[in-house]
Amino acid sequence: MEQPKTPEMSANSPIIAVIGGANPAPEEAAAAEAVGRALAEGGAILICGGRGGVMEAACRGAKAADGLTIGILPGAHRGEANPYVDIPIVTGIGVARNAVIARTAQAAVAVGGSYGTLSEIAFALAFGVPVVGLGTWEITRAGHPPAPITYTATPEEAAARALALARPGQ
Amino acid sequence: MEQPKTPEMSANSPIIAVIGGANPAPEEAAAAEAVGRALAEGGAILICGGRGGVMEAACRGAKAADGLTIGILPGAHRGEANPYVDIPIVTGIGVARNAVIARTAQAAVAVGGSYGTLSEIAFALAFGVPVVGLGTWEITRAGHPPAPITYTATPEEAAARALALARPGQ
Amino acid sequence: MEQPKTPEMSANSPIIAVIGGANPAPEEAAAAEAVGRALAEGGAILICGGRGGVMEAACRGAKAADGLTIGILPGAHRGEANPYVDIPIVTGIGVARNAVIARTAQAAVAVGGSYGTLSEIAFALAFGVPVVGLGTWEITRAGHPPAPITYTATPEEAAARALALARPGQ
Amino acid sequence: MEQPKTPEMSANSPIIAVIGGANPAPEEAAAAEAVGRALAEGGAILICGGRGGVMEAACRGAKAADGLTIGILPGAHRGEANPYVDIPIVTGIGVARNAVIARTAQAAVAVGGSYGTLSEIAFALAFGVPVVGLGTWEITRAGHPPAPITYTATPEEAAARALALARPGQ
């Protein structure tokens, strides 16, 4: 576990999620790392599912900028956390933990995406948590407006939008 | 609670979910009721979130055909079940119970849809549970095939497809 | 899956839990089977954790009396249910599902006991669900009254007490 | 939110739970505060249920010693956290979150106790997490050894024992 302290953090640090799959394409992993770094540089605490792939890349990026990282693990053992997780929360509730990530976050960045990612986007939308997308799902329904996801083109833009949109605690 | 027995039920009764929002349009509620009825007539046990709207309509339809209905409730009290739920499962875990519905179902029919419904579709897809859509979300991603949802045009077709696709227990 | 219907069941069938460990002593398994049978004969629907040991014995007893059995499974697959479970609820939330069993039950009979059983007793007490004990934990605290568990000496007495104490739906 | 950094924290900081009820006696609240302070002074990260009573007192004590505090909230809003929680994890899964606290902790100190506390003790024992008691439940079973709780007489002793017993990450 890295030392969980950083000069950038303060009483107003928002908790921002990076969500994405365990088996990303290389460019998705690179994007997730850049998002994680930019979020930490922007003063956010990173929350994610705590495992590999997009989750690990985002944590690695955040730690490179001395950020604090929280991993909401699905399984029963803290050893399943990636090495860049400072605070492993060992839920044991499987993918139902996706609801916990979405509830705790004040904004979320979806990078690429598996169906697990889709469930996290869905929960964030249900909870009113702003969702920023980077190469992720588009969700539409005939006769209805599309789901309110803010699509972005670069990791830096994604992080900046998430930092700007992060809702205050409630 | 209705009497939970029915001549159609047997050792091979599949458990099929009807998923949809608490505040459907009138035609969505009517569709959900017809799906519930057709599933029960086809010998399925109905599982849903146990509350109002699409959930209640589906249960009402199933009971009209003497089906058995299971409600996976989010809250802490069985009183939140709609009156057509035979077996109220009082989870107390909030919308994280959507994962329980998706895991327990052997196929799912999505009628209309809120973001909660979207989370259930996402979980079903993640778990490999066949998803049949009736006026619900379309989920796409640039450069990838769309999510494997079987779209149908009528409640009867939706129920028939779900009964045909229901995976065996595993 | 057994055919989930029975003449004893009606709109007023209480849902009663049998809780106990996966590795009971032989006499505990025999007691659990007798409790399950007596509960079904008394018209109750049986709910339990759905796995082996006390859970399987209780379900076997209930099925011998044509009862309906519900298994709230901790894992991700219905195949982990014992063969006497009619309705497998596949939660995927691990032992957190103990809270679901305790919330859904209108009374609970604890047979023998592991620490998992202790957690279910604790949740039942927290939720105000009557707890009947048969060779199970005693829970005391200096300067306070002991936990309100109704201790019994035989399976038949345990089942009768649970049927009498079962709280109405709420 | 307090600034989540402290000189005492390092890569080896254990996460230790303080568990106890929302409505403690005044001396229990005072004991919880002293335990929280001593744990932080000993370099631990504090985890708890994040609400009032014993939870708030323990967090207040930890913050007085510049510790880091994590609150695993049962409800749907971070606003239910007490003001001394640095990292609110908003689970929305109700008291099933007690399993998350017990799994995440590397040791637990139970102060006083409600039935919720009893469920956390039970889960900790089930998971092999060392439990230290301070005026809490005694759990026995005829013909079996009592539950392996380390009873202590003072907050300082309780914290010292928990720090000594904290199991390594696994």
Side-chain angles (χ1 to χ4, degrees):
Chain A
M1 192 169 73
E2 296 294 310
Q3 198 166 357
K5 57 181 173 180
T6 160
E8 293 83 4
M9 212 158 302
S10 80
N12 295 316
S13 299
I15 299 179
I16 297 184
V18 175
I19 58 184
N23 300 295
E27 64 272 18
E28 291 171 338
E33 184 165 351
V35 170
R37 175 187 275 271
L39 287 174
E41 288 171 348
I45 295 172
L46 177 70
I47 192 169
C48 70
R51 303 197 73 174
V54 161
M55 297 168 269
E56 179 165 346
C59 289
R60 190 168 53 238
K63 293 311 298 177
D66 283 331
L68 183 72
T69 60
I70 303 170
I72 308 292
L73 298 168
H77 298 286
R78 63 156 48 199
E80 71 179 12
N82 72 61
Y84 306 99
V85 168
D86 292 319
I87 311 272
I89 304 295
V90 189
T91 72
I93 63 169
V95 292
R97 69 77 151 92
N98 292 359
V100 178
I101 298 170
R103 273 201 201 284
T104 301
Q106 294 167 267
V109 179
V111 180
S114 60
Y115 296 128
T117 309
L118 180 61
S119 76
E120 291 172 296
I121 293 173
F123 279 129
L125 293 170
F127 302 150
V129 174
V131 177
V132 175
L134 187 63
T136 192
W137 299 104
E138 296 184 36
I139 302 160
T140 57
R141 196 176 152 210
H144 294 259
I149 299 171
T150 301
Y151 292 97
T152 55
T154 68
E156 291 71 24
E157 185 191 353
R161 293 292 286 159
L163 287 161
L165 290 170
R167 61 175 186 177
Q170 55 180 273
Chain B
M1 195 169 72
E2 295 295 308
Q3 197 166 357
K5 57 181 174 181
T6 160
E8 294 83 3
M9 213 158 300
S10 82
N12 295 316
S13 299
I15 299 178
I16 297 185
V18 174
I19 57 184
N23 299 296
E27 63 273 18
E28 291 171 338
E33 183 164 352
V35 170
R37 174 185 276 270
L39 288 173
E41 287 172 347
I45 295 171
L46 177 71
I47 192 169
C48 69
R51 303 197 71 174
V54 161
M55 298 168 269
E56 179 165 346
C59 288
R60 189 168 53 236
K63 293 312 297 176
D66 283 331
L68 182 71
T69 59
I70 303 169
I72 308 292
L73 299 169
H77 298 286
R78 63 156 47 200
E80 72 179 10
N82 71 62
Y84 306 99
V85 169
D86 291 320
I87 311 272
I89 305 294
V90 189
T91 71
I93 64 169
V95 292
R97 68 78 150 90
N98 292 359
V100 178
I101 297 169
R103 273 199 202 284
T104 301
Q106 293 167 266
V109 179
V111 180
S114 60
Y115 296 128
T117 310
L118 179 61
S119 75
E120 291 172 295
I121 293 173
F123 279 129
L125 293 170
F127 301 151
V129 173
V131 177
V132 175
L134 186 63
T136 192
W137 299 105
E138 296 184 37
I139 302 159
T140 58
R141 194 176 152 211
H144 293 260
I149 298 171
T150 301
Y151 292 97
T152 55
T154 67
E156 292 71 24
E157 185 192 355
R161 293 292 286 158
L163 286 161
L165 290 169
R167 62 174 188 179
Q170 56 179 271
Chain C
M1 195 168 72
E2 295 296 307
Q3 197 165 357
K5 58 182 174 179
T6 161
E8 293 84 5
M9 212 159 299
S10 80
N12 294 317
S13 300
I15 299 179
I16 297 185
V18 175
I19 58 184
N23 299 295
E27 64 273 17
E28 291 171 337
E33 184 163 352
V35 171
R37 175 186 275 270
L39 287 174
E41 287 171 348
I45 296 171
L46 176 71
I47 192 168
C48 70
R51 303 198 71 175
V54 162
M55 298 168 268
E56 179 164 347
C59 288
R60 189 169 53 238
K63 294 311 298 177
D66 284 331
L68 182 71
T69 59
I70 303 170
I72 308 292
L73 299 168
H77 298 286
R78 65 156 48 200
E80 72 179 9
N82 71 62
Y84 307 100
V85 169
D86 291 321
I87 311 271
I89 305 294
V90 190
T91 71
I93 63 169
V95 292
R97 68 77 151 92
N98 293 359
V100 178
I101 297 169
R103 275 200 199 284
T104 300
Q106 294 167 266
V109 179
V111 180
S114 60
Y115 297 129
T117 309
L118 179 62
S119 75
E120 292 172 295
I121 293 172
F123 280 129
L125 294 170
F127 302 150
V129 174
V131 177
V132 175
L134 186 62
T136 193
W137 299 104
E138 295 184 38
I139 301 159
T140 57
R141 194 176 154 211
H144 293 260
I149 298 172
T150 301
Y151 292 97
T152 56
T154 69
E156 292 70 26
E157 185 193 353
R161 293 293 287 159
L163 286 161
L165 290 169
R167 62 175 186 178
Q170 56 179 271
Chain D
M1 194 169 70
E2 294 296 309
Q3 197 166 357
K5 57 181 172 181
T6 160
E8 293 83 4
M9 212 160 301
S10 81
N12 294 316
S13 300
I15 298 179
I16 297 185
V18 175
I19 57 184
N23 300 296
E27 63 274 18
E28 291 171 337
E33 184 164 351
V35 171
R37 173 186 277 270
L39 288 173
E41 287 171 347
I45 296 172
L46 177 71
I47 192 169
C48 70
R51 302 197 73 174
V54 162
M55 298 168 269
E56 179 165 346
C59 288
R60 189 169 52 237
K63 293 312 297 177
D66 284 331
L68 183 71
T69 59
I70 303 170
I72 308 292
L73 299 168
H77 298 286
R78 64 155 49 199
E80 73 180 9
N82 71 61
Y84 306 99
V85 169
D86 291 320
I87 312 271
I89 304 294
V90 189
T91 72
I93 64 169
V95 292
R97 69 77 151 91
N98 292 0
V100 178
I101 298 170
R103 274 200 199 285
T104 300
Q106 295 168 266
V109 179
V111 180
S114 60
Y115 296 128
T117 309
L118 180 62
S119 75
E120 292 172 295
I121 293 172
F123 279 129
L125 293 170
F127 302 151
V129 173
V131 177
V132 175
L134 186 62
T136 192
W137 298 104
E138 296 183 37
I139 301 160
T140 57
R141 195 175 152 212
H144 294 259
I149 298 172
T150 301
Y151 293 97
T152 55
T154 68
E156 292 69 26
E157 185 192 353
R161 293 294 285 159
L163 286 161
L165 290 169
R167 61 175 186 177
Q170 56 181 273

